[in-house]
Amino acid sequence: MESTKGRGGQIDLIDLTVKALQYGLEAGDIIRKIHSSGNLEVVHKGSGVDEFSGKKVADLQTEADRQAERHIIFHLLSDFPSLRVVGEESFETGDGSGMCSQVEPPTVEPSERKPVSPESLPQSFKEKISSLKFLSP
């Protein structure tokens, strides 16, 4: 895949938004595909307490969760190698930061690619993104 990383190592937020939307839509297709197969492969990641209600909760994860996250992160990192991604499910670097630096290719692919273009974003949304200011980490 060709990197869409911009000049000077900067990532174009419109490109990032378009790609995130595309991969999110495709991940939804992956979730539907796995759900319809009936083989969710649920694992229990642990338990804890809900911050808002104070009630005990179980932290469950399914194969659909893992594959959807893997699809999104794999493709975003392929397109934007300098992107820093925090994953929820299982793809951390191992240093405790929660950051994902590389992910194996997904084993389940969407039924179809869902290309999204910058032209499909509302102008008001593009203007809001363009006006954002970021601080260096």
Side-chain angles (χ1 to χ4, degrees):
M1 286 183 194
E2 183 177 321
S3 172
T4 55
K5 186 168 97 170
R7 286 173 275 152
Q10 299 296 316
I11 294 173
D12 182 298
L13 289 178
I14 297 289
D15 286 346
L16 177 60
T17 302
V18 166
K19 293 294 189 176
L21 180 58
Q22 175 184 339
Y23 301 140
L25 291 170
E26 292 171 357
D29 188 52
I30 290 170
I31 291 168
R32 284 186 291 280
K33 184 187 284 188
I34 293 172
H35 187 267
S36 68
S37 78
N39 187 13
L40 298 180
E41 296 183 39
V42 177
V43 295
H44 189 273
K45 294 188 332 184
S47 58
V49 177
D50 181 271
E51 293 179 35
F52 301 104
S53 68
K55 295 179 182 176
K56 288 186 177 185
V57 293
D59 189 4
L60 302 177
Q61 179 192 89
T62 67
E63 181 64 14
D65 298 325
R66 292 185 293 276
Q67 288 297 324
E69 181 177 271
R70 179 177 284 168
H71 178 81
I72 293 168
I73 294 174
F74 175 80
H75 289 290
L76 284 176
L77 290 176
S78 295
D79 290 341
F80 305 97
S82 65
L83 185 67
R84 296 178 73 185
V85 179
V86 177
E88 178 185 2
E89 302 304 344
S90 62
F91 306 110
E92 295 184 12
T93 59
D95 63 3
S97 69
M99 294 291 172
C100 302
S101 58
Q102 60 183 19
V103 175
E104 293 293 318
T107 57
V108 178
E109 285 293 325
S111 299
E112 63 178 288
R113 289 282 170 216
K114 303 191 183 299
V116 178
S117 70
E119 293 76 30
S120 65
L121 298 175
Q123 184 60 34
S124 60
F125 185 73
K126 290 189 263 190
E127 289 168 2
K128 286 180 184 176
I129 290 175
S130 297
S131 69
L132 294 175
K133 305 242 186 287
F134 291 91
L135 300 175
S136 297

